[in-house]
Amino acid sequence: MNLALRHMRDPGQDRAMIVRFAYFRSKRLCSGAELERFLKQRLTPAETIFIVGCALWPMSGLGDGHRFRFGALGGMAADEYVTGGDRAARPLAARSVAVRQ
């Protein structure tokens, strides 16, 4: 399979929106013939392509093709989603959420 599905859900920043819809992002796992053809047509052999990987935010999965990712720049730090903290506790307390793990 050439595609991966990412279920984007940030309870710290998107709480109002995630009540009504789910946000998914699909990612290609390899470039594919179309992109390779485009790059060959547009770039000279001396030009450089930078590929940057980002692993700032933790992900969990339900299987090979479905991953959940929490967090985004500008919100809680990635470890706060896992270990908790003040910024994670405040929205829960404001909504009278009794169960916290």
Side-chain angles (χ1 to χ4, degrees):
M1 177 188 268
N2 189 23
L3 292 175
L5 181 66
R6 300 292 188 248
H7 185 173
M8 314 300 279
R9 187 176 175 109
D10 183 359
Q13 295 185 31
D14 302 331
R15 183 171 297 280
M17 293 185 295
I18 60 177
V19 171
R20 299 195 182 247
F21 68 86
Y23 171 44
F24 291 90
R25 178 176 289 160
S26 60
K27 295 188 176 203
R28 294 187 74 157
L29 300 177
C30 62
S31 63
E34 300 87 12
L35 179 59
E36 289 178 23
R37 186 171 44 256
F38 173 81
L39 294 174
K40 285 178 183 175
Q41 291 173 350
R42 301 296 191 284
L43 301 176
T44 66
E47 292 180 281
T48 302
I49 298 173
F50 292 95
I51 299 173
V52 179
C54 179
L56 294 175
W57 302 104
M59 282 197 294
S60 60
L62 294 175
D64 288 340
H66 195 164
R67 298 275 185 264
F68 291 91
R69 188 195 89 182
F70 295 93
L73 293 175
M76 293 189 295
D79 64 327
E80 288 181 90
Y81 286 94
V82 178
T83 61
D86 236 9
R87 288 190 287 184
R90 279 191 301 248
L92 295 172
R95 288 164 184 79
S96 301
V97 176
V99 178
R100 297 183 187 134
Q101 296 178 352

